[in-house]
Each structure stands twice: as C-alpha cells, then as structure tokens.
C-alpha cells in the first residue's frame, strides 16, 4: 500500500487527466471530487475512477475541453449545460451561483443536462449546507435496474442526496443510491478480483450473483424492492425528464470508453433556512441533538467525517497497483 497526502493525490490525478486531454481547470475540479470521495471512504467514487475517466476523455466520450454554459431562464432557476464534459465543473458552477439566488428567492433550483457521473452526491449538497442552505440533489445514471416485476434495466442506480445546516456543527448529509449498494462498489470489487455479497445484484439471466463482472453485465437489486424502483422513476423524471438529460436507458455507460457521451442529468434544489421565517436552525439542532444523545445512534455522515479527518491528518492509503496505474497515465 502507498500513503499519499491529499495534496499529492490531487496533483497526481490532475496531472493524469491533463495528460489525457482534459483542460487543467476541469482536471482540478475532477481531482477535488475524486480525492474528496476517497478521503470520505467512498472508494467507488474515488481514485478507482481515474483510469476509466482518462480513457473516456481520450476516446471523446467525455469532452476534455468542454465549456460549461449557464443561463437563467427564470428568476429562481439555473439551466446548466455540461456540454458532455465532466459533471464536476458544472456542479462547481451551480455551487458558485445558486446560493445568492436562493437567499434572494427563498428557494431555487439548477438543472444540469448533457452531463456525466457526478460521483459522491453528498459533496455538493454538503457545500450548500455549509453556506446555510438546505439542499437536495437528484442524479440519473445509465440503466442498471429493472422496474419491479420487469427484467430489462430502464432505471439507473439514481443517487439522491440531502444536506441540512446545523448551527455550530457539520451539516447533516444523507447520500444514497436507489440500488442496495452503489454500482461503484461493484466496480471496485471487480478491480480487486473480490466477490460481492449475494443480494447486491443479478446477472444477465436475472439470477443472483456474487461475481462482480457478471453483476456489471446484469442488473442491480433495488433498495426496498418495489419502493426503490418507484423512487428511481421519480429521480429519472426530475434529473433527466425535467432538465433535458438522457434517460437511463438512452445513456451509455459511465464505466468504459465505448459509445457516445452518456448525456445524463442532475437537478439541485436549494432552500434558504429562513425561507418560512426564523427559528428553523434551532429546530434542526433540536432534532439532531435528540438523535445524537442516544447511545449507539449517530447522525448520517458521522463516519464519513471521521474518515475525512483521518485522511487529512494521515493521508490516503491506496493500493500500489492503483497508484501505478494513475502514474502511468501521467507519464
């Protein structure tokens, strides 16, 4: 295993992506997201993505020099065109412009189209919560789940994330995919030649599998059975139908360099904490306190924050083979 400081990991990823054809500002944005996810323990959205991202830039599936375009079709809305580049620069534009609009309007939303994998969905909403806003993100992803009772994948794993500010403390962050596990966890297991637990995925024949390769060719098991696929439908409508992104079944894979750009979408909704009057922050703290006061209970995100603090202090522990793979990209 290799230990990398966060700064060293960021530089390594940035340089690799630039050498593969990504403009430096976009490469830095991607590196911040991937290194941040790795530090938070979300390895399926972390450094394991670098090689596939680089291959997609080289193939033109991700536009390395994409120029994000932002328009304001209505006072409380941002329309963001990621231009088939990485999602992270488009999300950076949202984080830069949405807070002021939200404080002015009380509630505001940003729709992103022609986008790509948005990684750890909790990170952008956490940033909005740190600016004093409640935030929700919906993202659709390439087809990986069948509707309940069906056999053909028409929904992605479709993550959604929520963050809420707390006075004097870190925000509450809820980040989940609508499959039992994120697809990135299966990708990581395949890279490590490790089996996955039964119950995570089905193979192409619709049978339970512990083979990550077979799982990636099959479908994911939804979170909460039929309820999970109902929520996945909701996310498809909000993140792609509303924004102009491609539906899951129309999108190419985030995992390889084959085909045209995925063109998926994201929707971010932000609400000012004082939108309905003062006192909400105190109420948020009251509920959070009642949870934290119980032995064995913790607020969502507590483990992630602990891992982040450890990574900031001690660096990232990364498999030697993964470091070598990324270093080869920048050579």
């Amino acid at each position: 295993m290799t230990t990398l400081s966060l700064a060293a990991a960021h530089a390594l990823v940035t340089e690799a992506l630039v050498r593969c054809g990504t403009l430096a500002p976009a490469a830095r944005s991607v590196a911040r997201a991937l290194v941040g996810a790795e530090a938070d323990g979300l390895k399926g959205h972390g450094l394991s993505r670098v090689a596939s991202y680089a291959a997609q830039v080289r193939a033109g599936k991700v536009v390395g020099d994409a120029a994000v375009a932002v328009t304001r079709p209505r006072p409380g809305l941002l329309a963001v065109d990621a231009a088939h580049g990485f999602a992270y620069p488009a999300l950076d534009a949202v984080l830069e412009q949405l807070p002021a609009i939200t404080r002015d309007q009380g509630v505001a939303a940003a729709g992103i189209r022609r986008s790509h994998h948005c990684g750890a969905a909790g990170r952008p909403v956490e940033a909005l919560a740190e600016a004093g806003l409640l935030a929700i993100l919906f993202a659709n992803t390439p087809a990986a789940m069948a509707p309940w009772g069906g056999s053909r994948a028409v929904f992605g794993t479709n993550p959604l994330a929520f963050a809420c500010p707390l006075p004097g403390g870190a925000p509450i962050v809820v980040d989940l995919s609508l499959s039992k596990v994120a697809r990135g966890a299966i990708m990581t297991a395949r890279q490590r030649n490790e089996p996955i637990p039964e119950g995570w995925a089905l193979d192409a024949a619709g049978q339970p599998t512990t083979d990550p390769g077979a799982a990636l060719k099959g479908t994911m098991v939804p979170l909460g059975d039929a309820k999970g696929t109902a929520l996945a439908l909701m996310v498809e409508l909000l993140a792609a139908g509303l924004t102009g992104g491609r539906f899951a079944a129309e999108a190419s894979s985030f995992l390889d360099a084959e085909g045209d750009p995925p063109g998926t979408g994201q929707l971010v909704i932000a609400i000012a904490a004082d939108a309905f009057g003062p006192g909400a922050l105190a109420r948020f703290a009251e509920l959070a306190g009642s949870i934290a006061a119980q032995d064995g209970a913790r607020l969502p995100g507590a483990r992630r924050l602990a891992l982040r603090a450890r990574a900031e202090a001690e660096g990232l522990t990364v498999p030697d083979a993964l470091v070598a793979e990324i270093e080869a990209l920048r050579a």
Side-chain angles (χ1 to χ4, degrees):
M1 301 294 280
T2 300
T3 300
L4 296 172
S5 70
L6 298 187
H10 186 275
L12 176 64
V13 174
T14 299
E15 292 166 14
L17 291 172
V18 167
R19 287 300 298 268
C20 294
T22 309
L23 288 183
R28 288 193 293 269
S29 175
V30 174
R32 279 195 302 273
L34 298 189
V35 173
E38 189 81 20
D40 288 356
L42 305 172
K43 296 185 181 298
H45 295 308
L47 301 185
S48 64
R49 294 274 178 171
V50 176
S52 67
Y53 278 10
Q56 290 175 65
V57 173
R58 284 174 165 165
K61 187 173 180 177
V62 173
V63 178
D65 60 354
V68 175
V70 182
T71 57
R72 195 169 172 183
R74 299 192 184 182
L77 298 179
L78 294 175
V80 183
D81 183 0
H84 294 310
F86 288 109
Y88 307 111
L91 287 164
D92 287 346
V94 171
L95 296 179
E96 180 180 343
Q97 298 186 39
L98 196 62
I101 299 172
T102 306
R103 295 186 190 104
D104 182 54
Q105 300 287 329
V107 61
I112 304 174
R113 66 186 184 279
R114 297 205 300 170
S115 194
H116 194 265
H117 175 241
C118 73
R123 293 187 63 82
V125 293
E126 180 182 14
L128 290 169
E130 288 172 344
L133 309 174
L134 290 87
I136 309 171
L137 182 149
F138 305 94
N140 83 313
T141 65
M145 288 199 307
W148 191 248
S151 58
R152 180 173 58 86
V154 297
F155 304 133
T157 56
N158 290 8
L160 57 89
F162 166 81
C164 172
L166 290 177
I172 296 171
V173 178
V174 178
D175 180 358
L176 53 89
S177 68
L178 296 177
S179 53
K180 275 194 175 178
V181 296
R183 207 156 189 247
I186 294 180
M187 185 183 76
T188 300
R190 183 183 65 177
Q191 291 175 331
R192 295 178 176 178
N193 293 316
E194 296 173 353
I196 59 172
E198 189 167 325
W200 279 16
L202 308 175
D203 63 19
Q207 297 301 310
T209 183
T210 59
D211 179 349
L216 290 170
K217 294 177 182 177
T219 58
M220 304 291 291
V221 174
L223 179 73
D225 299 333
K227 294 177 181 178
T229 54
L231 288 172
L233 170 61
M234 178 190 76
V235 173
E236 287 287 337
L237 295 171
L238 289 169
L242 182 63
T243 67
R246 287 181 177 174
F247 288 126
E250 301 169 328
S252 60
S253 175
F254 288 158
L255 302 176
D256 59 47
E258 299 175 9
D260 60 353
T264 52
Q266 291 96 28
L267 177 69
V268 181
I269 300 172
I271 306 170
D274 61 355
F276 298 100
L281 286 173
R283 293 283 287 157
F284 300 159
E286 179 183 348
L287 180 57
S290 71
I291 295 167
Q294 296 189 38
D295 290 341
R298 59 181 174 85
L299 291 168
R303 176 180 175 274
R304 170 184 50 81
L305 290 174
L307 290 172
R308 181 184 300 177
R310 180 176 177 179
E312 289 170 349
E314 302 177 9
L316 301 172
T317 303
V318 186
D320 296 337
L322 180 54
V323 175
E325 180 181 58
I326 300 172
E327 286 180 336
L329 292 171
R330 71 171 183 176

